[in-house]
Amino acid sequence: MKKMILMAVTMMAALTVSAQNQGDCKKKCDMNEKKCEKECCQKTRSASFLYEKDLKWEDAEPGVQRQIMGYDGQLMVVKVKFEKGAIGKPHRHYHTQATYVASGKFELTIDGEKKILSAGDGYYVAPDVLHGAVCLEAGVLIDTFSPMRADFLGKK
């Protein structure tokens, strides 16, 4: 019985300290900062406002670069820039994907079906469906994923 009471008191004390730290973080830590030292602020989300000029481009494949435009655990938006002739290799992932063709021309293959898409078009990829792209005219795709692609952030 004494052990149970001691455990309950210890848990309540830990919860109280945690709640105090959370309040402290809200006062001292801006979630929009690029880096926050407070553990309670280490959320899986991007800043609220992201400026293209401040975001790095990452090499995804030869002739393909991506820029993460915003995310939380449930959603991610990624800008993907293709050079003419670049290939988004056929792949699959458990995420739902919807993509808007912002510019250029692409040959998309989704589940064995090929279509040509141009600026203003879009496509949907269900989870675990094989899909890939060939860039026919240099362009940009705006990918959305649900849930977010933790692999793009180096978090598995």
Side-chain angles (χ1 to χ4, degrees):
M1 185 68 158
K2 286 183 180 180
K3 263 188 177 178
M4 288 178 66
I5 292 171
L6 182 58
M7 283 176 51
V9 168
T10 303
M11 287 176 61
M12 288 175 57
L15 288 171
T16 301
V17 169
S18 176
Q20 288 171 345
N21 287 343
Q22 289 285 341
D24 187 46
C25 282
K26 287 178 184 168
K27 292 176 192 167
K28 296 181 182 177
C29 180
D30 178 2
M31 285 297 297
N32 289 323
E33 291 178 8
K34 288 186 179 182
K35 291 184 180 178
C36 178
E37 302 303 319
K38 304 256 182 234
E39 184 178 330
C40 59
C41 292
Q42 301 299 319
K43 308 264 186 215
T44 302
R45 69 182 281 271
S46 64
S48 296
F49 298 97
L50 300 155
Y51 299 93
E52 181 182 40
K53 66 182 177 66
D54 296 333
L55 301 174
K56 68 178 182 165
W57 286 95
E58 301 169 1
D59 292 326
E61 312 235 6
V64 182
Q65 292 185 309
R66 68 176 164 240
Q67 192 177 47
I68 297 171
M69 300 303 298
Y71 66 92
D72 68 10
Q74 301 305 308
L75 177 69
M76 179 177 269
V77 177
V78 180
K79 186 181 340 176
V80 187
K81 182 169 47 174
F82 283 77
E83 295 174 7
K84 182 178 181 176
I87 297 172
K89 294 179 191 167
H91 63 284
R92 61 180 86 226
H93 43 73
Y94 69 88
H95 312 82
T96 298
Q97 178 178 343
T99 298
Y100 172 73
V101 181
S103 63
K105 189 180 232 179
F106 297 85
E107 178 185 79
L108 266 292
T109 304
I110 301 172
D111 202 19
E113 183 177 2
K114 288 186 181 190
K115 299 283 183 184
I116 305 294
L117 298 173
S118 299
D121 297 334
Y123 61 93
Y124 166 81
V125 182
D128 300 313
V129 171
L130 187 65
H131 61 286
V134 176
C135 183
L136 304 175
E137 293 176 9
V140 173
L141 300 177
I142 306 297
D143 288 338
T144 58
F145 299 99
S146 179
M148 69 141 194
R149 295 286 305 260
D151 55 322
F152 286 5
L153 299 174
K155 300 175 183 179
K156 299 279 178 182

